[in-house]
Amino acid sequence: MRKEFDLALQILHSVKNDNVYFGEALKAMFQKNVELRPYRKEVAGLVGCELRHDILFEKLCENLDLTDGEKEMLCLVLANDFYFRHFPKEEIDAELKEALGEEKFARCLPLLDKAGHAESYIPEGIDHSSLEYLSLRYNVPIWALKIMHHFGYSNTYKTIKRFARPYQPFVRLRNVPETDDLRHNEDFTPTSVSDVYAYSGKAALRTLPPIKDRHAYEIRPIVKKLLDDNKVSAPSSVVLYCGKDNGGADKEVIASYLNEVMVNIATPNEDDLLEAKRLIKQLGLRNVNLFQIADPTAMEAYISSKAELVFCLPDSTGFDSVATTPDFFLHYDKERMDQVIANQAKALEGCASYVEDGGTLIYCVLTISKKEGHNAVAEFLSKHSEFTLVEEKQHFPYDEYGCACYYAKLSLGPKVASIAVPFGEMSALTSEPAHCASAK
């Protein structure tokens, strides 16, 4: 157990102090050190558990007069004693006592002696109807809760509760013989979206042959549904502008259209779409134009004509990815949020230029934020009366599509609907919300 604890402490320190992502820290520790690999599972589990409750542990440790390194040791022990419980409590507590000494260890005893339901670990005096309570209970910073709270307390509560559960991957199985076995595998459950399956297996998806061979790939079900519902046919063309985290849209437009129509895919960083480029090469496609562009309003050198379908899926605050990594918020640079929103507005403007008369423009962001969703589209429509809002929707991780996603479908043609720009501050960070209702 001592070896696992020492390794876990090194990784936790790297994540919290050196700004190294959890997955990268694990890779650096275990990929080259073959002799350490037997410890990987337990170490990853313990550190991951600490990171998923880091806000609570930091709160519990704040008045104990410990050094940062000592707090990290205590946080790992609390993670094991409260939640992970893979190591004997007596042994791991003894390790902490030896490291801290009698006096400092005595300060920690009231925490180490806590037991019961997760709610019992939250300090006394925290109002259960407050955002602070939700932050400590579900490991989401208050600034992020304020953004989500614009959709109401109930949606916020159900969303962060879902974020706290293990991430549910969804896989798009292409209609090729190589995916036949997966369609009948109990680890793959069909969803309401054609050819999309929820994966519940223990093996990492990237290790499965159909995934490695690009006969299947991860996707957000709502992204696949939007592309299915708005599919065009020859002689039409498609434009997709997308960022790194595009929910599989890049690979889906390639796999679903093949050589049927002209497909233009633009991205700020071509290296983020390496798998899409490999899929194009694997399928021998000549109708896909994938290019890198820093300014989405300057795509005229790459796109020769307007398209019936233009899909705008820029990078966002990315709250859909909270459940995929336990250190999501530890590395989050909230100072960049205003720039993210400005980039989204620029992407929407650029994409609008390539919609042909009667065509469809779909704006989609994989996050939960009114400023990036409804407000962004309302602002766009206030400047572009030639576009009409057909429909808009905010999806949450707890609904049938299992992801955080806002989309708006716009039509270039006669005006049939409109939405108003809500009042509010222009900053990406919001003001303090109204008092919350009681927790359920």
Side-chain angles (χ1 to χ4, degrees):
M1 187 214 70
R2 178 184 286 270
K3 185 66 174 179
E4 288 95 329
F5 187 74
D6 288 343
L7 294 173
L9 192 58
Q10 292 179 50
I11 290 175
L12 182 63
H13 182 84
S14 180
V15 171
K16 296 184 70 173
N17 292 275
D18 301 330
N19 202 31
V20 177
Y21 283 89
F22 179 46
E24 294 301 316
L26 287 175
K27 186 184 296 184
M29 177 69 72
F30 296 107
Q31 191 169 46
K32 294 182 179 179
N33 299 309
V34 179
E35 70 279 3
L36 296 180
R37 288 181 187 173
Y39 302 108
R40 189 186 192 283
K41 182 178 179 180
E42 294 294 347
V43 170
L46 179 59
V47 179
C49 182
E50 194 287 331
L51 293 172
R52 287 185 177 88
H53 301 278
D54 185 66
I55 295 176
L56 171 62
F57 295 148
E58 287 288 332
K59 178 71 174 179
L60 293 175
C61 296
E62 65 181 1
N63 296 318
L64 294 178
D65 193 23
L66 302 175
T67 67
D68 289 344
E70 290 168 342
K71 285 181 181 179
E72 288 168 7
M73 285 190 281
L74 175 57
C75 287
L76 280 177
V77 172
L78 293 177
N80 179 76
D81 291 358
F82 288 2
Y83 301 106
F84 192 58
R85 297 172 183 156
H86 284 214
F87 301 110
K89 175 177 170 57
E90 297 78 11
E91 293 183 22
I92 200 167
D93 287 3
E95 290 284 338
L96 181 66
K97 183 177 182 179
E98 181 180 341
L100 296 184
E102 291 280 356
E103 182 182 348
K104 289 185 176 180
F105 182 75
R107 298 177 205 157
C108 304
L109 278 176
L111 296 179
L112 298 172
D113 289 341
K114 282 180 175 285
H117 188 271
E119 292 185 358
S120 66
Y121 305 135
I122 295 177
E124 294 181 5
I126 303 294
D127 184 357
H128 282 211
S129 67
S130 68
L131 293 184
E132 184 181 12
Y133 170 80
L134 293 181
S135 176
L136 295 171
R137 178 71 178 83
Y138 294 104
N139 203 50
V140 177
I142 290 178
W143 64 261
L145 290 172
K146 289 178 180 179
I147 294 173
M148 299 180 200
H149 193 249
H150 281 131
F151 295 97
Y153 182 85
S154 178
N155 281 326
T156 301
Y157 173 73
K158 289 188 285 186
T159 292
I160 62 176
K161 186 177 180 181
R162 182 65 187 86
F163 280 158
R165 294 171 56 192
Y167 174 65
Q168 172 68 74
F170 293 93
V171 182
R172 156 72 148 108
L173 303 183
R174 291 174 49 210
N175 292 308
V176 293
E178 289 83 356
T179 64
D180 288 347
D181 288 343
L182 297 187
R183 294 176 189 275
H184 300 94
N185 187 316
E186 61 181 11
D187 289 339
F188 291 81
T189 304
T191 69
S192 61
V193 180
S194 174
D195 296 320
V196 175
Y197 291 72
Y199 176 65
S200 58
K202 293 183 179 180
L205 271 172
R206 64 179 181 277
T207 65
L208 302 181
I211 296 288
K212 291 195 291 186
D213 296 336
R214 290 174 288 281
H215 299 303
Y217 45 84
E218 281 199 68
I219 199 166
R220 296 295 190 267
I222 188 60
V223 170
K224 171 72 159 58
K225 185 176 190 303
L226 284 171
L227 287 168
D228 285 352
D229 290 349
N230 296 280
K231 194 165 185 179
V232 300
S233 56
S236 302
S237 61
V238 174
V239 172
L240 167 66
Y241 176 85
C242 63
K244 178 180 180 179
D245 298 319
N246 60 66
D250 56 338
K251 293 179 282 291
E252 183 59 26
V253 294
I254 294 166
S256 63
Y257 283 107
L258 297 174
N259 277 315
E260 295 175 16
V261 301
M262 181 65 194
V263 174
N264 293 283
I265 303 176
T267 183
N269 187 351
E270 200 170 345
D271 288 342
D272 291 336
L273 304 188
L274 286 179
E275 282 301 299
K277 293 179 70 175
R278 289 167 181 155
L279 183 59
I280 293 169
K281 183 176 180 181
Q282 177 180 321
L283 296 173
L285 302 180
R286 297 183 178 87
N287 66 315
V288 180
N289 172 31
L290 193 157
F291 59 93
Q292 178 174 306
I293 185 90
D295 183 356
T297 63
M299 295 190 286
E300 63 274 2
Y302 301 92
I303 302 176
S304 59
S305 61
K306 295 187 176 184
E308 185 176 343
L309 174 64
V310 178
F311 202 105
C312 181
L313 210 165
D315 285 319
S316 69
T317 48
F319 289 171
D320 183 50
S321 299
V322 172
T324 66
T325 174
D327 52 338
F328 179 90
F329 286 115
L330 272 176
H331 305 287
Y332 202 93
D333 182 8
K334 62 179 182 292
E335 302 302 323
R336 291 188 60 252
M337 291 176 64
D338 284 330
Q339 185 58 54
V340 167
I341 291 173
N343 291 343
Q344 291 165 347
K346 200 170 187 179
L348 189 50
E349 284 286 342
C351 287
S353 302
Y354 293 94
V355 184
E356 68 179 20
D357 289 342
T360 297
L361 171 61
I362 295 177
Y363 172 75
C364 179
V365 283
L366 297 173
T367 194
I368 304 171
S369 167
K370 281 193 175 180
K371 289 185 180 294
E372 297 173 80
H374 176 90
N375 293 21
V377 170
E379 179 68 18
F380 172 82
L381 289 173
S382 71
K383 301 174 182 177
H384 293 274
S385 59
E386 70 274 21
F387 280 93
T388 297
L389 176 66
V390 178
E391 63 175 317
E392 66 169 351
K393 178 76 174 181
Q394 175 70 56
H395 285 284
F396 300 92
Y398 58 81
D399 70 23
E400 67 171 312
Y401 299 115
C403 67
C405 171
Y406 168 87
Y407 75 86
K409 179 178 178 180
L410 310 174
S411 176
L412 181 57
K415 186 173 182 179
V416 296
S418 63
I419 52 178
V421 181
F423 294 101
E425 299 180 43
M426 295 306 293
S427 171
L429 295 179
T430 66
S431 58
E432 184 72 30
H435 189 70
C436 300
S438 297
K440 302 295 183 184

